[in-house]
Amino acid sequence: MSLHLYLEPKVTLLARSEYLGAPHIKWDTEGTPAEKTVEFSGRLCYLSFGEDAGVEGHTTVKGRTGNRDYLKHILEVRHGSVAEHNAWTFLFEGVSRSLTHELVRHRHLSFSQLSQRYVDESNLAFVVPPEVLDAGLESNEYMLWLTACGQSRDNYRDLLGMLEQRLGAQGVTGTAGKKRARQTARSLLPNSAETKIVVTGNARAWRHFVNLRANENAEREIRRLAVDVADILTEEAPNLFQDFAFVVAPDGFMKVDVGHGSI
Ligand SMILES: Cc1cc2nc3c(=O)[nH]c(=O)nc-3n(C[C@H](O)[C@H](O)[C@H](O)COP(=O)(O)OP(=O)(O)OC[C@H]3O[C@@H](n4cnc5c(N)ncnc54)[C@H](O)[C@@H]3O)c2cc1C
């Protein structure tokens, strides 16, 4: 029995928002595109672009700080809505269906996930749960888990074949027949079944996700993913996520302390 196994998630940053600026307003700042957009949005609220910014119909006041300090203040006063004007899109692969079941509870993120109704899962991969991985690839826990996954895949193939045969005999063929067979056979697949999902969120939504999922309270697999996401976000926007602290938790695994929490 040969199974394709994932030992860790594969996290790819697929897309990010651009900052184009407003050519008719004389203002610029340092920072990454997302950080510039957030600062611009915050400054618009108080027209603090500087005295000669040229905002039509208004006098503007002098801005006192640079991007890092400005965003620090936004975090401190929890002016969270200005952190919504941007988006990062990730591709997550090598994650389990149980992870994505938790992930999709985050209602401010957007999702497109591999369909088990349309896709034939006869050769699906499985994600080794971190706890089982800790036990080691020679352990009884791992062997039990591996055997169960292999059995579920074999059962899936068998049931899929039976369903396709019966539906075919009834004249239900083509996409409709395949979909009906696959959507039923998938009921035999375990939570460890590997899946792929594209997820988009703005800075505020990702902060909340990291705040809830990158720590000891979260399940280990999603926690590991949340730490990876936080790592990429801090590279993407170090000022916007300046309060993220990557530390080893008392349980020996990485976590992210989000200084200002969800905003
Ligand atoms: C450690 C842990 C254990 C968990 N255990 C369970 C469990 O046993 N069973 C279970 O079902 N779930 C469980 N969850 C999931 C949890 O209940 C949430 O569904 C999930 O974390 C999404 O977060 P959120 O509710 O903050 O909402 P998000 O969808 O991420 O929204 C972010 C914020 O937006 C606001 N918001 C969003 N939607 C609404 C709304 N409709 N009305 C008002 N405000 C809104 C809230 O302020 C919310 O915090 C667990 C989560 C964690 C982190």
Side-chain angles (χ1 to χ4, degrees):
M1 170 181 55
S2 106
L3 292 181
H4 187 137
L5 299 179
Y6 279 92
L7 306 185
E8 55 185 31
K10 192 169 170 183
V11 177
T12 306
L13 180 63
L14 207 57
R16 65 169 76 86
S17 305
E18 267 190 80
Y19 173 77
L20 303 177
H24 56 288
I25 296 178
K26 281 190 247 114
W27 176 84
D28 200 5
T29 187
E30 70 279 14
T32 63
E35 291 168 341
K36 288 183 181 211
T37 312
V38 173
E39 184 179 345
F40 185 99
S41 310
R43 289 197 182 280
L44 184 88
C45 299
Y46 305 108
L47 285 184
S48 58
F49 293 113
E51 282 147 5
D52 56 355
V55 178
E56 215 174 333
H58 290 278
T59 50
T60 54
V61 296
K62 193 170 178 310
R64 280 182 305 231
T65 55
N67 184 265
R68 190 168 180 85
D69 284 344
Y70 190 87
L71 297 186
K72 181 167 179 273
H73 181 66
I74 290 284
L75 296 173
E76 282 165 358
V77 298
R78 312 174 73 75
H79 193 172
S81 61
V82 294
E84 294 173 13
H85 303 297
N86 50 62
W88 283 277
T89 300
F90 289 91
L91 165 65
F92 299 144
E93 299 169 278
V95 294
S96 69
R97 291 283 295 194
S98 54
L99 182 149
T100 56
H101 188 77
E102 295 185 350
L103 181 61
V104 301
R105 295 294 299 276
H106 291 277
R107 290 160 284 183
H108 301 293
L109 299 176
S110 307
F111 308 97
S112 299
Q113 182 167 15
L114 181 157
S115 167
Q116 287 186 331
R117 298 181 70 207
Y118 283 89
V119 174
D120 182 351
E121 291 280 51
S122 294
N123 293 308
L124 83 160
F126 294 90
V127 179
V128 186
E131 204 70 47
V132 172
L133 204 51
D134 289 351
L137 301 184
E138 303 295 325
S139 67
N140 290 338
E141 288 157 66
Y142 176 71
M143 293 318 293
L144 175 63
W145 174 86
L146 188 68
T147 306
C149 289
Q151 191 62 57
S152 74
R153 185 201 57 183
D154 294 346
N155 289 341
Y156 172 92
R157 289 176 175 176
D158 290 346
L159 183 58
L160 188 67
M162 291 177 202
L163 287 159
E164 281 175 346
Q165 203 171 28
R166 178 173 59 78
L167 290 166
Q170 292 170 357
V172 187
T173 53
T175 306
K178 284 180 184 159
K179 196 169 71 174
R180 269 178 65 179
R182 290 169 188 170
Q183 73 190 11
T184 304
R186 71 172 170 172
S187 62
L188 297 176
L189 297 177
N191 271 333
S192 292
E194 189 259 348
T195 185
K196 301 178 194 302
I197 189 166
V198 172
V199 189
T200 299
N202 60 49
R204 192 182 201 184
W206 283 121
R207 275 186 79 79
H208 183 65
F209 171 72
V210 170
N211 191 32
L212 289 194
R213 302 295 185 175
N215 60 54
E216 305 96 312
N217 299 322
E219 192 273 334
R220 284 263 308 279
E221 192 195 350
I222 198 167
R223 170 179 170 182
R224 187 174 58 185
L225 181 92
V227 171
D228 286 353
V229 166
D231 192 36
I232 293 172
L233 290 176
T234 48
E235 282 206 11
E236 283 288 303
N239 296 343
L240 194 48
F241 300 106
Q242 59 185 275
D243 58 336
F244 281 14
F246 294 78
V247 292
V248 178
D251 63 8
F253 300 106
M254 287 302 293
K255 72 167 179 169
V256 181
D257 282 332
V258 179
H260 292 289
S262 304
I263 54 171

